[in-house]
Structures are given as structure tokens and as C-alpha cells.
């Protein structure tokens, strides 16, 4: 017999989530049948007013655990914590309910790259191109696939196309810059990261990538300047702390 769905619970299977203790129950990866919250175990209720508490309320109180918007927020949050498997699980849940929902597709592509999933990224990129070849997201996915298989010349070509279709998308510029950095073309990489910074005012990610590029080319003082700037903008990103340690 098919197990009845839990009202408001996420379609994400806990087995697909890498570290629920890090995500905590605020992210909609928990199921209500796990037992009453507050029993002192892993399923204890998150502190009131926290982000975790807000996710829990969306899932259980408002019945939005399966909402693409809720899952997209959870995916972005997991990705920001560099918990790629959990982020991918949320993206897969959105994809299962609505394959044409683009709420977290950039995160989806980035997770597949980070986890080295060539086959999954190949299929996703094909589907996005077939769905809308005029969408920058489709060519971002194609460029990411070629980046993953180390065909950097083709990656640059498709990232370039993505930036032409939507010049305001910082993700496309960052992908473009990474494909240049992989070919040791530092000037073009930094120019792409600066373009991303112009599109993402107030964001720390372009600063982080500029710092990483200066670190790669052994310009340590410049690397420290941009990495400290990224840390001041977002002190919670563990990758920034890791690069500062390097």
C-alpha cells in the first residue's frame, strides 16, 4: 500500500539529505510523523524567530512544505552552507513536481557541477535547451556541462552566449570567469568576476571569486583584500573562511 502523504511535509526523502543536523528541522526535510518536537533529540523544535523556525512554520502550519518557493529557499540555503547533497535533494523535489519550474535551477546546475554529476547535468542541460533555447539558464547549464568535462573552450563559448542573452545574470558571468581561470587566463577571469560584481551589488560571491583568482595567481595581498571584503559582506560563508586560511 502506498504511504499517505504527510500534510505540509516536504517530498524530500531524509535519506537524500546529507546532514539534517546542520539543516535542522527548520528546512522542510523533516516528516511530521517523526514524533513530537521538543523531545530533546535531533527533532527538537528550533528556537522561535529563527530561520529554521520559519521553515518549520511554512511546512507544518501553512502547509507549504511542498511549495516550489519553499523548497527553492531551502535549496539556496543548503547551497550557501556548501551542503550540496541536501541542496540537490531539494532541487530534485522541485523538478519532480514541476520540471519547468526555474525557481532553483541555477542552484541545481551548480550542485551537479560541484558533485561531478556529468550524466545528470547533461540531461538537465538538454531539457533546458529543448524547453527554451532563448533562456540564458539553458546555455549556462550547457556551459557548466562543458566546464565539468574540462572542455573549457566550449564552456567559454556557451557562457558567453548566456551573458549575451541575459547580461544581468551574475551566475553566468561567474561561470564565464571560472572557465577562463581554468585555462590560466587570469585577466579575462577577473574581468568576468568584476562584471558579476556590477550585477550583484552587495553580494559577496564575486568578491570571493576575485580573491580566489588572486590567490591562484599568488597575488596574496590582493587575495586577502578581496577575501576580507567577502567575509565582511557575509561572515557566515564557510568557503570564505577556508580561503582566508589558505
Amino acid at each position: 500500500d502506498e504511504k499517505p502523504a504527510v500534510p505540509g511535509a516536504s517530498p524530500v526523502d531524509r535519506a537524500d539529505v546529507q546532514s539534517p543536523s546542520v539543516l535542522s528541522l527548520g528546512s522542510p526535510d523533516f516528516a511530521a510523523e517523526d514524533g513530537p518536537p521538543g523531545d530533546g533529540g535531533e527533532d527538537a523544535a528550533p528556537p522561535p524567530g529563527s530561520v529554521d523556525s520559519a521553515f518549520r512554520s511554512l511546512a507544518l502550519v501553512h502547509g507549504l512544505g511542498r511549495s516550489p518557493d519553499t523548497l527553492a529557499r531551502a535549496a539556496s540555503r543548503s547551497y550557501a552552507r556548501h551542503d550540496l547533497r541536501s541542496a540537490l535533494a531539494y532541487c530534485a523535489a522541485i523538478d519532480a513536481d514541476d520540471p519547468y519550474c526555474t525557481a532553483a535551477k541555477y542552484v541545481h546546475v551548480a550542485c551537479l557541477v560541484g558533485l561531478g554529476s556529468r550524466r545528470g547535468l547533461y540531461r538537465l542541460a538538454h531539457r533546458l535547451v529543448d524547453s527554451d533555447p532563448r533562456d540564458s539558464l539553458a546555455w549556462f547549464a550547457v556551459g557548466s556541462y562543458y566546464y565539468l568535462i574540462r572542455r573549457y573552450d566550449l564552456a567559454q563559448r556557451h557562457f558567453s552566449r548566456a551573458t549575451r542573452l541575459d547580461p544581468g545574470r551574475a551566475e553566468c558571468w561567474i561561470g564565464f570567469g571560472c572557465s577562463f581561470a581554468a585555462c590560466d587566463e587570469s585577466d579575462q577571469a577577473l574581468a568576468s568576476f568584476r562584471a558579476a560584481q556590477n550585477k550583484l551589488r552587495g553580494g559577496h560571491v564575486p568578491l570571493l571569486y576575485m580573491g580566489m583568482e588572486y590567490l591562484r595567481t599568488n597575488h596574496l595581498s590582493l587575495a586577502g583584500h578581496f577575501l576580507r571584503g567577502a567575509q565582511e559582506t557575509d561572515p557566515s560563508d564557510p568557503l570564505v573562511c577556508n580561503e582566508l586560511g589558505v
Side-chain angles (χ1 to χ4, degrees):
D1 294 337
E2 186 175 344
K3 188 177 180 180
V6 179
S10 164
V12 177
D13 191 333
R14 274 180 177 253
D16 294 331
V17 179
Q18 186 180 29
S19 51
S21 60
V22 174
L23 289 170
S24 83
L25 298 185
S27 298
D29 59 300
F30 76 101
E33 72 265 30
D34 282 352
D39 59 1
E42 184 183 65
D43 294 332
S50 65
V51 175
D52 288 342
S53 178
F55 271 118
R56 185 187 185 98
S57 176
L58 284 171
L60 292 185
V61 178
H62 302 288
L64 295 174
R66 301 182 68 94
S67 163
D69 290 333
T70 303
L71 292 170
R73 291 288 183 180
S76 297
R77 185 164 184 249
S78 296
Y79 184 79
R81 294 180 174 194
H82 302 279
D83 185 359
L84 301 187
R85 292 191 183 279
S86 296
L88 183 60
Y90 293 121
C91 293
I94 297 171
D95 210 41
D97 281 350
D98 184 0
Y100 298 101
C101 177
T102 60
K105 279 293 188 288
Y106 281 97
V107 173
H108 197 169
V109 171
C111 288
L112 292 171
V113 173
L115 294 170
S117 180
R118 297 184 180 186
R119 183 176 299 179
L121 185 53
Y122 179 86
R123 290 174 176 170
L124 178 60
H126 259 282
R127 177 151 53 85
L128 291 171
V129 171
D130 290 341
S131 173
D132 187 358
R134 295 170 297 178
D135 188 356
S136 63
L137 170 62
W139 301 107
F140 172 78
V142 174
S144 298
Y145 171 76
Y146 283 116
Y147 177 85
L148 182 58
I149 65 171
R150 301 184 180 183
R151 292 294 305 275
Y152 301 123
D153 56 331
L154 294 175
Q156 290 170 15
R157 183 185 306 173
H158 291 97
F159 283 134
S160 176
R161 184 171 184 175
T163 59
R164 290 197 304 272
L165 286 169
D166 188 354
R169 265 291 176 183
E171 295 92 338
C172 299
W173 286 106
I174 289 173
F176 204 10
C178 288
S179 64
F180 282 122
C183 297
D184 202 23
E185 299 178 32
S186 187
D187 290 343
Q188 291 92 328
L190 288 168
S192 297
F193 297 145
R194 290 189 194 100
Q197 186 184 24
N198 290 334
K199 313 304 178 187
L200 195 64
R201 294 287 185 180
H204 78 289
V205 175
L207 295 173
L208 169 61
Y209 276 91
M210 281 190 275
M212 291 168 66
E213 179 59 19
Y214 279 122
L215 188 62
R216 186 187 69 81
T217 55
N218 208 33
H219 291 85
L220 300 184
S221 61
L222 286 170
H225 169 74
F226 283 102
L227 291 173
R228 284 190 295 272
Q231 187 179 46
E232 290 171 5
T233 306
D234 187 356
S236 67
D237 191 334
L239 183 57
V240 177
C241 297
N242 179 75
E243 294 300 317
L244 278 168
V246 173

